[in-house]
Amino acid sequence: MSDSGDMFGAPPTQGEEKPASASELEAAGQSVLFGQPPEAPVAPAKPPAPCPEPSPQTSPAPAPMQAYRVLARKYRPQTFSQLIGQEPMVKTLANAIERGRLAHAFLMTGVRGVGKTSTARLIAKALNCIGPDGQGGPTIDPCGLCEPCRAIAEGRHIDVIEMDAASHTGVDDVREIIEAVRYAAVSARYKIYIIDEVHMLSRHAFNALLKTLEEPPAHVKFLFATTEVEKLPVTVLSRTQRFDLRRIPAPMLQEHFASICRQEAVEAEEEALAMIAAAAEGSVRDGLSILDQAIAHADVERDSDAALVTAGRVRDMLGLADKSGRRRLFTALLEGEPAAMLDEVERQYGLGVDPLALLRSLLALTHRIALAQVGGGEAEAPTLEERRDIGGWSARLSAGQVHRLWQLLLKGHDEVKTAPDPLVAAQMALLRVLHAADLPDPGTLARQFERMAAEAGPAVASGDSGPSAAPLAALDWRGLCGQVEDAGMLRVANTMRDWLRVIELAPGRLAYALAPGLLDDPAQSVREALRQVTGEGWIVECGSDGGTPSLREQDEAERQAQADRIRLAPLVQAALAAFPGAELIEQDTPPDPGRGERNWRRA
C-alpha cells in the first residue's frame, strides 16, 4: 500500500532525527525524576559527514534544550542520612533492621513534602541492598552502588512496584496485587509494593486487601504513604506499623536551603532564607519550590552569572510587603484612627486580598502577640520589622485586651463569612473593633466605680426605703392563698392574691375590700375554697373600703423598695454619674465581654 509508511512509521530520511526507542525514553524519564547516573567515558566518534548548505527557504533547527530538574527533584534524599528532621523514624527502622524485627507493612503519614514517598523508596533500598560485593544484607545505610540500589533509584526494579492509589482506586487494581504476591521475587530479597496516597482507595478495595495485608507471604512488604491518615479504615491501621513524619522546623529548613544554595553556587541572605523557611510551613518540597522561584527571580534582575537571593526580592515575591500593610491596618485599629483603617482596607482590597483573608491575617497577628506575651522572648516572624512590631504590641497590650481583641475579630470573621457583601461586613466589623477601644474593660470599670464610691462617701439611707412590716393577718392570708393554690383552685388563689384587701381575718371569718379593677364579687368562690382547705365553714363579707394592700400590691411595693435601695447604693451612684442617662434594667443577661480601654492602652 502506498500509505503504509505513514501508518507504521517510515524510515527516517536524511536530515530527520531518528525516533528514540522505548528504553531510551524510559531512561530519560527516570534520569529526570531520580537523577542522572554518572556517565561512562565515551569513545570518540567518527566525524560526521558534511551536511549540505541549507537553502534560503530553510533555517537550521535550534539545538534541543536540556530539561531542567527542579531543586525538589534534584535533591531528593538518596540515603537516610540525607532525610532531614525524621531522626526518630530512622532510629526505629535501624533498630528493627539490626534485630531482624521487620514489619510486613509500613505506613508513612504526614503533611505534604516531608518525605513520605522518599522514605518508602529508601526503605525499599535498605531491605534489598546487597552491598558492593554482593554479600550484604538489609541495612539502614544502603550502598547505592549495587544493582538493586541503582535499579530502585532509577525506578526500573522489577520487584519494587510503585502504584498511585489516586489513579488506581478500584478492586481490580488491588486484585492484581493480590494475585501477584503469591509469586516470589525475581531478583530482589523482598518484593515491595509502594502505594502512594493510599487513602484514595475505595472501601471495597480496602476490604479486598485486608486479608493479604494481614498475612502476606514472607517475601512481600507493603509501604503505604498518605497525607490524610484519618480516611484510612481502622482495620488497615491495625495491620501496619505507622510512622508519623514531622514537620521540619524552620531553622533546620533554613540550614538545609543554605547548603543547597552553596551547592548551586547561589548567594543568599540569611533573612531571605528565613523568609523562605517560614513560608514553607514545615514542608521541604514547598520550601525548595519557593527557593527555586527566588533563584529565578534573582537571575532575572542581575547581569552577572552568580545569583543573589536578597531579602527584599523574596519579600516582594512572597507578598510579605502586603503583610506590612496589614500591620499598618492593625496599628490603625489600636490607635483609634477610622479613616486610616478604612483607607488601608480599601488598599488591601484593591491589591486582591479577600476580606475574609484580611480578617484571618489580623487574627493570626493577634495570636502571635498572645504567644509573645506568654513566651516572654522574641516573637516568631520571618522579618525583623514584624518581630519588632509584635514585640512592641505584646509589651503595650495587656493579656485581657489581646483576648478581647481576638473575640471581636473572630466575631467579625464569622459575620464576613456569611455576609452578602464581604467588604462592607469587614469594614463594619473593624469599625466595631476600633470603637470598642473607647470603652473601658470590666476590670478598669470596677476600679473606677470603687474610686468614685470612696470619694462620694456613704449614701443617706431613706427612712421609708426599707421593707414595711407586714401585719400578722397578711402573713396568715398568704398562707391561706398558698393552701388554696396547692388544692388545685388556681383561679381562686390568683383572685385572692391580686384583688382582695384583707380588712379582718379570724378563724372562720374574712372581711375584705376589692382592689380597683375587679367587677364581680368573688365571695362565693372564696368561701367554698376556704371551706375545702380548712374543713370548716367561713363567713366571707365584702366591705366598702380600707384593708391592707393585696399580696400583689405588697410584692410590687417590695420590688420598688429594693430598686430604690440599689439605686442609692454608692457604687451604683458612681456608675450613674460616670454614664449620664444610664438606666437600671432588671435582667439576668451577662455584660458584653467585648470592652477595651481607649486606644487599647493600659490604664
Side-chain angles (χ1 to χ4, degrees):
M1 297 176 63
S2 61
D3 58 347
S4 60
D6 296 334
M7 180 177 297
F8 298 103
T13 59
Q14 185 178 8
E16 293 182 351
E17 185 178 357
K18 182 180 180 181
S21 64
S23 60
E24 292 174 344
L25 289 175
E26 181 181 2
Q30 297 300 330
S31 66
V32 171
L33 183 59
F34 297 104
Q36 181 71 30
E39 298 180 357
V42 181
K46 296 180 180 180
C51 297
E53 292 293 332
S55 61
Q57 291 81 9
T58 61
S59 59
M65 181 181 296
Q66 185 177 1
Y68 171 70
R69 283 187 297 156
V70 296
L71 299 180
R73 289 183 174 181
K74 185 176 182 180
Y75 292 96
R76 182 186 292 271
Q78 297 298 323
T79 62
F80 280 105
S81 61
Q82 297 176 0
L83 189 67
I84 64 172
Q86 311 300 340
E87 289 78 11
M89 180 197 66
V90 175
K91 181 64 175 176
T92 302
L93 287 173
N95 293 340
I97 293 175
E98 181 180 356
R99 299 170 185 173
R101 303 180 64 89
L102 289 171
H104 58 268
F106 298 91
L107 172 64
M108 274 68 68
T109 178
V111 298
R112 74 221 176 268
V114 293
K116 299 182 295 298
T117 307
S118 297
T119 301
R121 293 171 180 170
L122 291 178
I123 293 176
K125 276 188 184 181
L127 296 183
N128 286 326
C129 178
I130 59 175
D133 56 357
Q135 303 299 322
T139 174
I140 196 65
D141 296 315
C143 65
L145 302 176
C146 62
E147 176 59 25
C149 286
R150 288 187 291 132
I152 294 173
E154 296 170 8
R156 57 180 175 81
H157 201 293
I158 192 173
D159 292 321
V160 178
I161 301 96
E162 186 168 347
M163 186 182 84
D164 177 22
S167 55
H168 300 80
T169 63
V171 178
D172 293 337
D173 302 304
V174 173
R175 186 179 293 114
E176 294 180 5
I177 297 176
I178 297 173
E179 294 175 354
V181 296
R182 296 179 298 173
Y183 304 102
V186 176
S187 62
R189 186 179 295 111
Y190 293 103
K191 178 180 287 188
I192 295 178
Y193 290 91
I194 301 176
I195 303 181
D196 201 4
E197 302 299 336
V198 69
H199 65 273
M200 299 293 290
L201 289 178
S202 66
R203 180 172 60 89
H204 297 294
F206 274 125
N207 292 335
L209 187 62
L210 284 180
K211 189 60 179 178
T212 304
L213 184 61
E214 184 176 14
E215 298 177 358
H219 61 272
V220 174
K221 301 292 182 184
F222 288 99
L223 304 178
F224 298 149
T226 178
T227 55
E228 301 181 37
V229 68
E230 66 278 357
K231 293 185 177 180
L232 267 65
V234 179
T235 51
V236 173
L237 295 177
S238 63
R239 290 167 166 82
T240 59
Q241 190 172 97
R242 173 174 169 177
F243 291 106
D244 289 276
L245 277 68
R246 305 175 177 179
R247 288 181 182 268
I248 313 302
M252 185 177 294
L253 282 178
Q254 180 178 349
E255 183 179 352
H256 182 59
F257 296 157
S259 173
I260 290 177
C261 286
R262 289 191 295 268
Q263 298 179 56
E264 292 289 318
V266 173
E267 298 180 9
E269 297 179 356
E270 289 188 7
E271 188 174 357
L273 294 179
M275 294 179 189
I276 296 173
E281 298 180 348
S283 171
V284 181
R285 183 173 62 237
D286 289 5
L288 288 176
S289 299
I290 298 173
L291 180 60
D292 227 337
Q293 183 181 358
I295 294 174
H297 185 68
D299 283 337
V300 171
E301 297 294 336
R302 287 179 59 84
D303 298 331
S304 62
D305 295 335
L308 175 61
V309 180
T310 63
R313 287 172 181 165
V314 172
R315 185 183 297 110
D316 294 339
M317 184 188 72
L318 296 178
L320 295 180
D322 184 51
K323 290 188 177 181
S324 64
R326 298 179 194 183
R327 293 199 302 275
R328 291 194 300 270
L329 174 60
F330 196 80
T331 302
L333 282 177
L334 299 186
E335 297 295 338
E337 301 175 356
M341 186 271 293
L342 292 177
D343 289 343
E344 191 60 42
V345 171
E346 290 287 349
R347 186 179 299 109
Q348 295 290 324
Y349 188 74
L351 292 174
V353 180
D354 184 71
L356 194 63
L358 188 63
L359 268 294
R360 279 200 300 266
S361 67
L362 295 177
L363 282 167
L365 197 55
T366 306
H367 175 247
R368 288 187 178 181
I369 295 172
L371 293 183
Q373 289 180 337
V374 174
E378 187 176 8
E380 293 186 2
T383 63
L384 179 62
E385 296 84 356
E386 189 170 356
R387 289 195 294 270
R388 184 176 60 248
D389 290 342
I390 292 177
W393 289 325
S394 64
R396 166 182 162 185
L397 300 174
S398 66
Q401 289 174 320
V402 173
H403 286 286
R404 286 192 301 275
L405 183 58
W406 170 270
Q407 292 295 331
L408 288 170
L409 289 173
L410 188 61
K411 179 176 175 60
H413 178 274
D414 294 339
E415 293 175 354
V416 173
K417 186 187 299 184
T418 58
D421 191 336
L423 176 60
V424 173
Q427 291 174 336
M428 295 303 296
L430 294 177
L431 283 173
R432 181 174 63 229
V433 175
L434 185 144
H435 291 302
D438 294 330
L439 302 177
D441 63 90
T444 304
L445 184 62
R447 290 192 297 270
Q448 291 178 356
F449 286 167
E450 292 174 358
R451 183 171 60 251
M452 296 173 66
E455 294 174 355
V460 180
S462 175
D464 56 352
S465 62
S468 57
L472 180 61
L475 294 177
D476 294 339
W477 178 242
R478 188 180 295 272
L480 285 174
C481 293
Q483 293 180 22
V484 172
E485 183 177 6
D486 294 340
M489 295 173 281
L490 302 182
R491 184 177 62 83
V492 180
N494 288 336
T495 302
M496 294 168 62
R497 284 198 184 96
D498 296 346
W499 304 101
L500 301 189
R501 296 176 175 176
V502 177
I503 300 175
E504 179 185 357
L505 180 60
R509 178 176 175 79
L510 171 63
Y512 63 87
L514 291 176
L518 186 64
L519 301 179
D520 298 331
D521 186 4
Q524 181 63 32
S525 57
V526 172
R527 183 184 302 108
E528 181 62 25
L530 293 176
R531 186 189 64 79
Q532 291 186 22
V533 298
T534 62
E536 300 177 358
W538 281 73
I539 300 174
V540 179
E541 298 177 349
C542 180
S544 59
D545 198 4
T548 60
S550 65
L551 296 181
R552 176 176 57 83
E553 293 172 335
Q554 293 178 27
D555 293 340
E556 292 177 353
E558 175 63 24
R559 284 196 297 269
Q560 184 60 40
Q562 180 71 14
D564 293 340
R565 287 195 300 272
I566 293 175
R567 185 176 295 274
L568 293 175
L571 190 62
V572 177
Q573 289 292 320
L576 294 176
F579 297 95
E583 297 180 359
L584 291 177
I585 301 176
E586 290 189 42
Q587 59 181 10
D588 296 332
T589 56
D592 184 5
R595 296 290 184 264
E597 297 177 4
R598 183 173 184 81
N599 294 336
W600 299 93
R601 289 193 174 95
R602 295 182 186 271

